Amino acid sequence: MTIDPGVISAEMVAVHERAAAEIGPLPDATLLPPAEGRALSERVNERWNRDLPEMAGKSATLVPADPDLGSADCPLTILSPSQAAGGTILYVHGGGFAFGSSRSHERTARVLAGEAGMDIVLPDYRLAPEDPFPAGLRDVVACLRALIAGAVRGLGQAPVLVAGDSAGANLALAAILHEQAQGRPLPAGALLFYGNYAADLTGDSYRRFAEGPGLTTARMARYWGWYAAGRDIAREPLACPLAASDAALAALPPLHLMAAGVDPLLSDSVALQARLAGLGRTETLDIVPGVTHGFLQATRELAAAREALAAAGAAARTIIKNLETASREEAHHGMVDNIRR
């Protein structure tokens, strides 16, 4: 792997070099049989999940299968910070729709829980290629519905946000679009980190960072191939959210958008923010310079990762605060209208 220190920050270079020295040369997990690649990915991710931040509580539960929705039993891990500001975040892990788990992203989730002051719920949704689109999405939707309804054991009724990184950001946004189309209650907002939102891999960043470091355009193509399983999903908004209509995107709840500066997927976040801006929405895109795809895993070693999650935690609190303010104002206007009648 060749790293250009003129593009990547010195701190990010050091993280890559330390990881390579500790882990050693490894095969490309996407070229192995899926189960072997998944096991290798889990082993590599153990490195990023040492010295976990303390939580006030950690528990496990299950969202039962919903035959009408087509979801399966979905295990959940619940992380509760010591300082709770109120609210719950459904955090959908990344991994190209095929790899990753609640364990691989636990440190990232714990840091975000502390920064937001909110419970974090990590679902172990079904993975491709054994369970391609829309299996994992249906599991995420089922978990989102259960949280919004206050039906998850161990959690009370609270405002819900959805978050995700990489393929998890895709699934988080797709879950909102799914529920929007069904006319069902939506989360208060979303935190979307370096997501892949379209199967078109021709954007500028896919060319500029085609060979990584880390994620490559070829690996992303293999992930999409596993997820699509031979289907043409390029115009399916629930697989490729950038294919959503203007009306659907305009009606989304507030979004916090973040991308890595040295990442094949950067073009997707740029395109999403541009679509939103063209519809009159006010979301900005925070592009973290000098870091590579998946950098949020490195909170133990990388200041940029900790700072990005602190910004996301602050954004989550702002979304909840604005929601509560709007609810109070609506209630006040309702009282005034009743008095006038």
Side-chain angles (χ1 to χ4, degrees):
M1 176 174 61
T2 301
I3 299 176
D4 179 356
V7 174
I8 304 176
S9 70
E11 190 178 22
M12 189 83 253
V13 170
V15 170
H16 277 283
E17 290 176 343
R18 283 195 297 271
E22 290 179 26
I23 299 170
L26 295 171
D28 183 337
T30 66
L31 296 176
L32 298 174
E36 292 182 26
R38 198 169 295 133
L40 175 61
S41 175
E42 285 294 312
R43 180 161 66 86
V44 169
N45 272 297
E46 289 175 3
R47 182 190 186 280
W48 308 111
N49 285 279
R50 300 172 186 162
D51 305 321
L52 296 175
E54 289 290 332
M55 290 282 105
K58 176 182 177 180
S59 60
T61 188
L62 185 81
V63 171
D66 183 340
D68 294 331
L69 179 60
S71 65
D73 289 346
C74 190
L76 300 180
T77 298
I78 302 172
L79 303 171
S80 300
S82 56
Q83 299 295 323
T88 300
I89 300 174
L90 177 67
Y91 189 98
V92 189
H93 70 77
F97 309 109
F99 300 157
S101 67
S102 57
R103 297 173 302 281
S104 68
H105 284 63
E106 184 169 346
R107 185 173 230 286
T108 299
R110 284 179 178 236
V111 173
L112 180 58
E115 294 291 351
M118 299 178 190
D119 293 322
I120 301 284
V121 178
L122 291 155
D124 278 303
Y125 57 89
R126 287 173 289 174
L127 300 173
E130 298 90 338
D131 292 294
F133 173 79
L137 174 62
R138 288 172 174 170
D139 295 348
V140 172
V141 169
C143 295
L144 181 61
R145 287 182 182 181
L147 285 170
I148 290 175
V152 173
R153 181 170 55 85
L155 293 173
Q157 190 85 38
V160 175
L161 293 91
V162 62
D165 65 280
S166 193
N170 172 301
L171 291 165
L173 183 52
I176 298 175
L177 291 169
H178 182 284
E179 296 301 83
Q180 181 192 73
Q182 297 291 317
R184 298 184 66 96
L186 301 182
L191 314 173
L192 305 178
F193 310 134
Y194 42 78
N196 57 311
Y197 305 119
D200 177 10
L201 309 183
T202 61
D204 175 70
S205 63
Y206 285 103
R207 294 189 299 271
R208 186 177 179 198
F209 306 117
E211 299 304 320
L215 180 66
T216 67
T217 298
R219 286 177 188 152
M220 199 64 238
R222 288 192 281 275
Y223 287 136
W224 274 115
W226 284 349
Y227 192 51
R231 294 175 55 174
D232 181 5
I233 60 172
R235 294 180 177 82
E236 170 52 71
L238 299 185
C240 299
L242 273 170
S245 69
D246 285 351
L249 293 180
L252 290 171
L255 308 178
H256 172 73
L257 304 176
M258 185 274 284
V262 186
D263 183 357
L265 302 191
L266 174 58
S267 294
D268 284 22
S269 290
V270 170
L272 176 60
Q273 191 275 334
R275 283 281 307 277
L276 295 170
L279 296 170
R281 292 179 59 109
T282 59
E283 283 91 352
T284 58
L285 171 61
D286 181 12
I287 301 176
V288 183
V291 298
T292 57
H293 187 79
F295 79 98
L296 290 181
Q297 294 291 85
T299 50
R300 213 165 40 94
E301 304 166 90
L302 192 64
R306 296 188 294 272
E307 291 165 3
L309 288 173
R317 294 193 304 275
T318 296
I319 289 171
I320 297 301
K321 181 180 178 181
N322 290 343
L323 176 68
E324 292 172 345
T325 299
S327 296
R328 287 195 297 269
E329 291 177 351
E330 184 178 348
H332 174 72
H333 291 317
M335 291 175 60
V336 171
D337 288 344
N338 287 335
I339 292 171
R340 287 173 176 170
R341 292 192 190 102

